[in-house]
Amino acid sequence: MPATAAETTPESPWPLKHFAQILKAHIERAPETWIEGQLLEANIRNGHAYLTMRDVDVENSLSVTVWRSTLSRLDATPEVGSRVVAKVKPNLWLKTGRLSMNASDLRPVGLGDLLARLERLRQALGAEGLFDPDRKQKLPLLPARIGLITGRDSDAEKDVVRNATLRWPGVVFEVRNTAVQGVNAVGEVMTALAELDSHPEVDVIVIARGGGALEDLLPFSAEELVRAVSEAATPVVSAIGHEADRPILDDVADLRASTPTDAAKRIVPDVAEERQGIDQARLRLDRAVEQLLERESERIAALRTRPVLAAPESMLESRREDLDRLVERSLSAARTAVVRGEAEIKHLRAQVRSLSPQQTLDRGYAIVQVGGADRSAPAGDVVRDAAEVPVGADLLVRLAHGSLDASVTATHESNTGPHSEENSQNQPVSPEGHHD
């Protein structure tokens, strides 16, 4: 007989019992493990319990045997539909080749345990940011088509459709009927969610279910479903159970409705309220227009009573008077400026005349220049000092009117003080050559 499985051949196989014994030894080397599931079958015979446990999320099941010694220690007898945890060790029954689990302990899962697990999952997902308000999408004011995921012929479906139709008669639904509890609920709801999310005309998706026990609502706290809702591109409304029910789906949904009826009220507007709002808006608009016309009419009436409109010529008269005053002021200012200019010119003229040589001559002074008897010859230098002119020199004396020819017969030194030279220069010279 071959020593190992790899050495077996069609001509040299293992006996079945040898393979079964090896398989049994391999399986029974597995350690005891705690598993959780829901009881589908619970048969008690001869003090032993023969159970079938199914996974709470998928269609996987195992046979579990609770021997009399273990069953007698349990606080409660296993019941179909209950959720339990069992400490099991795999066992292969060689006679039939049947794999089963031998349970050394079996405990029902209490409400407190479920709530604690849900709270841990809620906190973990919240820490990832799946519940952040910034992720919430705003629902459309009037959706063109509403996706509805709910149980077939359920009260939740009827409540949503009826109340939404009453509020807005033209509402259109795209309904997907799925399991809303049990092991198939999570998968079917996720499939329906994906279909509606990809539908081009669906503007909002409602996931609705009526009330129930905590175990019945567990699918709506499944992590897979919660993550699928968080990734949906279409806004999702959670309408699970009653006000007190709070599956994790409520936290991740874009809007949480307390009941399916509340969801219907929040996804579509009330046509009666909208019409009433339109009527009220029209009344406010009419009132505003009337008040505007009244105010403008009063303003026009007030403008008509003003003097400028009652007697428009008064405004022209007032402006004419202002213009006359301005013209008079301008003329007066021009006259004053002319008078001042004339006075200034006279003053300047007097100053110029007082400084002119002719004025000096008119006061009796004369200008003595070295010259000759020939008047056609140019005048010579002005004589300022008697010592500069020799005796016998010819002089030209310019007077205020006319001039004289003179000759020097004698010169005299000035002896009248420190200013005698200046005085002598300013003294007129007589025709005979003497100072005046």
Side-chain angles (χ1 to χ4, degrees):
M1 184 175 61
T4 63
E7 296 175 353
T8 60
T9 64
E11 292 77 18
S12 180
W14 272 351
L16 185 127
K17 67 176 182 179
H18 180 70
F19 174 72
Q21 289 171 352
I22 293 176
L23 184 60
K24 177 178 177 64
H26 178 74
I27 290 175
E28 291 181 350
R29 281 198 297 270
E32 286 188 316
T33 306
W34 284 98
I35 62 174
E36 180 181 1
Q38 188 177 20
L39 295 182
L40 292 181
E41 297 179 357
N43 297 323
I44 301 176
R45 299 192 303 269
N46 300 325
H48 308 299
Y50 302 96
L51 312 175
T52 301
M53 287 182 64
R54 183 179 65 180
D55 188 85
V56 295
D57 294 326
V58 297
E59 288 285 355
N60 292 340
S61 60
L62 288 173
S63 296
V64 179
T65 302
V66 184
W67 302 116
R68 181 188 297 112
S69 59
T70 301
L71 187 61
S72 62
R73 298 196 308 267
L74 300 181
D75 296 333
T77 302
E79 296 181 358
V80 174
S82 61
R83 189 163 180 163
V84 297
V85 292
K87 189 176 184 181
V88 299
K89 184 176 177 62
N91 176 65
L92 181 65
W93 183 250
L94 291 177
K95 185 176 182 178
T96 60
R98 184 169 180 262
L99 178 66
S100 66
M101 303 290 126
N102 289 335
S104 61
D105 197 357
L106 184 72
R107 302 177 187 179
V109 178
L111 179 61
D113 295 332
L114 290 177
L115 292 176
R117 293 180 189 178
L118 292 179
E119 187 59 30
R120 286 195 295 270
L121 178 59
R122 193 190 308 272
Q123 292 179 359
L125 296 177
E128 293 184 24
L130 267 64
F131 308 153
D132 290 349
D134 294 340
R135 295 174 59 94
K136 307 292 184 183
Q137 301 184 65
K138 187 177 180 180
L139 270 63
L141 176 63
L142 185 60
R145 188 177 294 268
I146 300 171
L148 176 60
I149 302 174
T150 186
R152 186 178 303 277
D153 296 328
S154 63
D155 291 338
E157 178 181 354
K158 296 174 184 177
D159 288 344
V160 173
V161 174
R162 180 177 62 253
N163 286 282
T165 304
L166 288 174
R167 291 174 63 82
W168 197 269
V171 66
V172 179
F173 281 93
E174 190 74 23
V175 181
R176 295 290 185 273
N177 294 124
T178 66
V180 290
Q181 68 182 56
V183 294
N184 298 323
V186 174
E188 293 184 11
V189 172
M190 290 179 61
T191 300
L193 176 64
E195 292 179 3
L196 294 176
D197 191 31
S198 61
H199 197 296
E201 297 181 3
V202 172
D203 294 332
V204 63
I205 301 172
V206 180
I207 303 176
R209 186 200 189 282
L214 176 63
E215 294 83 353
D216 298 334
L217 302 181
L218 285 178
F220 300 100
S221 293
E223 183 176 354
E224 303 94 315
L225 177 58
V226 171
R227 292 189 181 278
V229 171
S230 70
E231 295 172 359
T234 307
V236 177
V237 178
S238 174
I240 307 300
H242 302 298
E243 177 66 33
D245 298 321
R246 289 301 300 266
I248 300 179
L249 179 63
D250 286 352
D251 297 321
V252 74
D254 299 294
L255 176 66
R256 187 247 176 183
S258 58
T259 62
T261 301
D262 181 51
K265 294 179 179 179
R266 303 181 70 173
I267 57 178
V268 293
D270 188 346
V271 65
E273 293 179 358
E274 295 301 318
R275 287 175 177 172
Q276 183 179 2
I278 293 174
D279 293 339
Q280 291 177 351
R282 286 176 174 173
L283 290 175
R284 289 195 298 269
L285 182 60
D286 292 342
R287 189 178 303 111
V289 172
E290 291 176 357
Q291 292 176 351
L292 177 62
L293 292 176
E294 291 178 359
R295 288 195 301 269
E296 296 304 319
S297 298
E298 292 175 356
R299 289 182 58 186
I300 292 174
L303 291 173
R304 287 176 175 175
T305 58
R306 290 183 179 181
V308 67
L309 292 180
E313 64 277 5
S314 62
M315 182 178 65
L316 298 177
E317 290 295 333
S318 175
R319 295 296 179 267
R320 182 181 293 112
E321 294 175 357
D322 293 340
L323 182 61
D324 293 342
R325 285 194 298 271
L326 291 174
V327 170
E328 183 62 29
R329 288 173 58 184
S330 299
L331 293 176
S332 176
R335 295 189 191 98
T336 302
V338 170
V339 171
R340 289 178 180 174
E342 290 177 350
E344 186 174 359
I345 291 173
K346 291 179 179 180
H347 176 70
L348 293 174
R349 182 182 297 166
Q351 287 183 339
V352 171
R353 287 179 177 177
S354 66
L355 296 176
S356 67
Q358 183 64 41
Q359 187 73 14
T360 302
L361 296 176
D362 290 342
R363 290 200 303 269
Y365 289 92
I367 298 174
V368 179
Q369 295 177 295
V370 177
D374 188 3
R375 293 178 177 267
S376 63
D381 295 335
V382 176
V383 179
R384 292 182 176 81
D385 189 351
E388 296 177 353
V389 182
V391 175
D394 293 331
L395 300 176
L396 176 64
V397 180
R398 292 184 178 275
L399 304 176
H401 301 285
S403 61
L404 300 174
D405 290 330
S407 61
V408 178
T409 58
T411 61
H412 305 279
E413 293 293 333
S414 175
N415 55 358
T416 58
H419 301 290
S420 59
E421 183 179 355
E422 180 181 355
N423 293 335
S424 65
Q425 292 177 357
N426 294 330
Q427 292 296 324
V429 180
S430 65
E432 291 79 13
H434 297 281
H435 290 286
D436 189 6

